[in-house]
Amino acid sequence: MPNPDEIVRILAEEYGIKGERALDEAIRKQKFIDVTPFCAPPRKQGEVKRCDET
């Protein structure tokens, strides 16, 4: 598990985030991150998926 003090140090040094308010603001400004490519296997080209498949 990461050391919380190390995380606070990295946030301050790398991103200029110092304190909870700055961290909350940075999180609010984040753009949407699509994690779908990391969760589902890629479909083969030309493969058709039925509507009832998940």
Side-chain angles (χ1 to χ4, degrees):
M1 183 173 238
N3 179 348
D5 294 327
E6 183 71 9
I7 294 171
V8 169
R9 183 189 66 75
I10 292 169
L11 287 172
E13 286 180 11
E14 300 288 327
Y15 303 100
I17 297 172
K18 299 176 183 172
E20 281 186 56
R21 182 171 285 166
L23 180 58
D24 288 341
E25 184 66 26
I27 291 170
R28 260 193 293 285
K29 288 180 179 178
Q30 264 189 333
K31 295 180 182 177
F32 175 76
I33 300 172
D34 182 7
V35 297
T36 304
F38 306 102
C39 299
R43 293 187 195 156
K44 296 177 184 170
Q45 192 171 11
E47 182 180 44
V48 178
K49 188 174 182 181
R50 295 189 328 241
C51 292
D52 61 346
E53 291 180 3
T54 56

